[in-house]
Amino acid sequence: MDETKGEAWSARYGQQGPEADGVPDAFFRHRSVRRYSDRAVPESVVVSLIGAAQSASTSSNLQLWSVVSVQEPDRREAVARLCDDQEHVRRAPWFFAFFADHHRLRSAAVRVGERCSALDTTEFLTMAVIDAALAAERMACAAESMGLGLCYIGALRNDAAAVKDLFGLPEGVFGVFGMTLGWPVEGLQAKVKPRLAQSAVWFRETYSADIDVSEYDERMRAFYVLEGMKGEVTWSMRSGRRADDSKLTGRDRLKAFLDGQGMDRR
């Protein structure tokens, strides 16, 4: 996990990157880490990481997000079971659950006589999810700059109602994702995963609907083979299948859950 920017760029895009431009190498080394050493991550480090998270941009300074760390063994076991029984959720030195949070704002506003009548709209849910994502990614970048590893846990959304019960969530709070964090185990072989060519995601002036990802399918084919996966099943095929209704694993019920939480009603 100590690639230079050039090495990481080559792994991402299959070609040489730009000349030195001042962007730190650490920003290009990200990979999901699911195996952690027994080395402790002191709480003092986590305090600083939460500080980094709170330093992220937030819409109108509303700060519509919260995070809960789960360290108590029985509660961590319960979280792991809710998150598709993933072992690294169970074993990681730290686990964090990130929430879209309208409750804090509503409570503060009501106390001073404000109605907050728009909190049940899709717009305010969108703002809260963006706030949570920005905070988590700022925290992730800070952690990786120190040599820590992490993995986002989308499976926190598999059973939103059970997550609500486990964390004691009031109305207006929704579990967006989790994050495991710790020092990567020595000799970790997790690779930098290829990404789409910039031309497939970066357009000039207007959006381009004519997108060809066949080149990326070929690069990912080689990556899949290295990972012991079927190379004949391309990224386009895998991603298309991932977007099938049958792959939602309980997340198809999120709309009803959010409505019950007073969120995303209109």
Side-chain angles (χ1 to χ4, degrees):
M1 297 182 63
D2 57 355
E3 298 93 347
T4 65
K5 175 186 174 180
E7 290 168 338
W9 189 281
S10 179
R12 292 284 186 220
Y13 298 113
Q15 61 186 25
Q16 185 175 350
E19 297 299 322
D21 53 14
V23 180
D25 291 8
F27 282 93
F28 300 90
R29 294 174 180 152
H30 171 74
R31 71 264 277 156
S32 294
V33 173
R34 297 178 176 86
R35 295 179 60 211
Y36 302 97
S37 74
D38 293 333
R39 178 182 171 189
V41 180
E43 185 160 331
S44 58
V45 170
V46 175
V47 168
S48 288
L49 291 177
I50 297 297
Q54 288 193 274
S55 299
S57 296
T58 169
S59 184
S60 300
N61 198 34
L62 296 177
Q63 304 172 72
L64 298 172
W65 68 280
S66 292
V67 61
V68 176
S69 59
V70 181
Q71 299 299 92
E72 196 279 320
D74 289 342
R75 293 187 60 78
R76 181 74 75 84
E77 175 64 28
V79 171
R81 289 197 300 269
L82 288 176
C83 292
D84 203 27
D85 206 34
Q86 296 182 65
E87 190 64 19
H88 62 114
V89 173
R90 188 174 283 109
R91 303 294 183 189
W94 286 85
F95 177 85
F96 302 93
F98 284 83
F99 297 93
D101 188 348
H102 292 170
H103 173 73
R104 179 174 51 245
L105 173 59
R106 185 188 298 278
S107 297
V110 168
R111 194 173 298 118
V112 295
E114 299 294 339
R115 295 174 55 231
C116 283
S117 60
L119 283 179
D120 66 345
T121 61
T122 299
E123 165 62 6
F124 266 85
L125 173 64
T126 301
M127 283 197 289
V129 170
I130 291 172
D131 270 10
L134 290 175
E137 187 61 9
R138 178 63 66 96
M139 178 172 163
C141 289
E144 289 178 335
S145 74
M146 302 171 60
L148 287 160
L150 59 103
C151 185
Y152 283 97
I153 309 297
L156 190 73
R157 300 189 299 277
N158 284 2
D159 191 339
V163 167
K164 174 184 176 179
D165 291 343
L166 179 63
F167 286 92
L169 303 182
E171 182 175 302
V173 184
F174 161 53
V176 183
F177 49 76
M179 178 190 288
T180 57
L181 183 140
W183 301 105
V185 69
E186 187 175 352
L188 181 71
Q189 296 300 307
K191 298 177 178 64
V192 172
K193 186 177 293 185
R195 291 291 196 252
L196 288 160
Q198 289 194 358
S199 60
V201 301
W202 177 17
F203 312 124
R204 310 296 180 118
E205 310 306 335
T206 61
Y207 185 89
S208 174
D210 184 16
I211 301 172
D212 182 358
V213 300
S214 56
E215 174 272 339
Y216 183 60
D217 278 336
E218 287 303 310
R219 282 193 288 122
M220 282 301 294
R221 185 192 306 276
F223 180 82
Y224 291 143
V225 171
L226 285 174
E227 293 290 290
M229 302 165 69
K230 295 180 179 179
E232 64 270 21
V233 182
T234 66
W235 175 85
S236 293
M237 296 165 66
R238 292 176 192 275
S239 300
R241 293 171 186 176
R242 180 64 183 85
D244 189 83
D245 282 342
S246 64
K247 300 296 185 180
L248 286 174
T249 59
R251 302 180 205 182
D252 52 315
R253 298 188 293 271
L254 283 177
K255 175 64 177 175
F257 173 81
L258 289 167
D259 186 271
Q261 285 292 90
M263 308 169 83
D264 197 28
R265 286 179 173 170
R266 57 191 175 95

